[in-house]
Amino acid sequence: TEEDAALARIAYKDSVAIAEDAGPRFFEMLSAHLTHPWMVLRLISAVMDKPPEAYLAGSELADFGLRVLDGVDAGLVEIEQFDSSGGMPAVRAAAQAIDRVTAQIAELEGNVELSRQGPWGSRLAKQKAALARHVEARLREIDKAVAQTLPLTEVWIGRVSRDAARLTTPLDPVALQKAKTLVAFAQEVRGAANYGGFAAARTKVMEALDAHLDLFIDDALDHLKQGDAPDPAIARALMGAAMELVGLARDRQA
């Protein structure tokens, strides 16, 4: 509130009256009590009335902004190193890094008046582009991973061809693990998709995934019901894998 901002300005003014270097120390002490250290930018913004990038970058408080930018870089490295066969521990670690990076970006954008030509603004723009690029690269792996786990084949009905489930290839546990990891990743990052700049890519990938799963399950289930699956054991194993992916892509009830 305006009253809180006024109190923060008074406290800051009192601190710098004690010693020349008291300003940074004042915010260091406050940041130690916050849930996330980078949230101190809100207090700096309140004291300095959302300062322009050039002003803050040239002040003794510049280090607080630089730490946020460095934190984003560190998070991007974690995201880039995401192991697509690492299961849920890898998914959770990557999703937490993405949430942290988007929060840090939002904190800087919301509390400092940035310029795309300025050193901070241009660096942040590159970081946002890198975030979207890293996530979209992983999302694009989903189609291939699911196709390897639940392969399709082309069948002809008269002169018309259509895709159908290939129920003769035994289930590949390694391919299934990778597909499950990637699909879980796509679901875990949905909350950050809009702000992270990869919402459109994620939507396109998930629509293609839904179509693949529906086609495969309907076809496999029909063959199992009719009793004409080439190898019922293989067909049931593939159906089990398909249901695991549906549970991750939608929910267990689906």
Side-chain angles (χ1 to χ4, degrees):
T1 66
E2 283 299 320
E3 183 179 355
D4 292 331
L7 290 171
R9 292 188 195 105
I10 292 170
Y12 178 72
K13 185 178 179 181
D14 289 344
S15 72
V16 295
I18 297 170
E20 288 186 3
D21 64 343
R25 282 193 285 159
F26 171 76
F27 288 113
E28 289 282 11
M29 288 188 289
L30 292 175
S31 69
H33 295 276
L34 300 175
T35 306
H36 302 293
W38 63 79
M39 292 172 66
V40 76
L41 285 178
R42 302 182 190 187
L43 295 167
I44 293 173
S45 182
V47 169
M48 304 178 78
D49 196 19
K50 194 175 182 180
E53 170 189 338
Y55 180 73
L56 182 58
S59 74
E60 72 275 14
L61 302 177
D63 192 54
F64 291 96
L66 291 172
R67 286 182 206 173
V68 178
L69 290 166
D70 290 343
V72 172
D73 280 336
L76 290 174
V77 171
E78 290 184 55
I79 296 164
E80 188 177 15
Q81 293 175 343
F82 166 58
D83 181 5
S84 58
S85 60
M88 285 309 297
V91 169
R92 282 190 286 268
Q96 288 170 3
I98 290 168
D99 287 342
R100 186 172 68 252
V101 164
T102 53
Q104 289 171 317
I105 290 172
E107 207 69 31
L108 198 57
E109 288 185 327
N111 294 296
V112 181
E113 193 178 308
L114 298 170
S115 166
R116 290 190 68 87
Q117 290 73 42
W120 289 8
S122 60
R123 182 177 172 184
L124 198 66
K126 292 176 183 176
Q127 289 173 328
K128 291 176 72 174
L131 170 62
R133 186 170 63 252
H134 292 332
V135 176
E136 288 174 6
R138 296 304 187 178
L139 293 174
R140 285 194 295 270
E141 293 180 28
I142 292 177
D143 183 62
K144 182 178 179 181
V146 173
Q148 288 179 335
T149 306
L150 306 174
L152 301 178
T153 187
E154 188 178 41
V155 297
W156 288 84
I157 303 174
R159 296 183 178 181
V160 179
S161 68
R162 71 173 183 87
D163 288 330
R166 186 194 300 163
L167 302 176
T168 56
T169 305
L171 178 65
D172 181 350
V174 175
L176 174 59
Q177 174 68 13
K178 184 172 183 179
K180 287 167 60 178
T181 300
L182 288 167
V183 172
F185 173 78
Q187 284 297 79
E188 285 291 316
V189 302
R190 66 189 182 277
N194 281 327
Y195 198 82
F198 48 86
R202 182 186 174 278
T203 298
K204 184 178 179 179
V205 166
M206 296 307 287
E207 287 175 350
L209 172 64
D210 284 342
H212 188 117
L213 291 173
D214 285 343
L215 188 155
F216 191 95
I217 289 171
D218 289 345
D219 199 42
L221 191 59
D222 185 57
H223 282 292
L224 285 168
K225 283 182 177 179
Q226 297 298 326
D228 59 1
D231 187 321
I234 290 177
R236 282 194 293 271
L238 291 170
M239 270 294 291
M243 286 188 285
E244 287 189 67
L245 292 176
V246 168
L248 291 169
R250 301 170 192 170
D251 55 56
R252 290 184 62 82
Q253 187 175 353

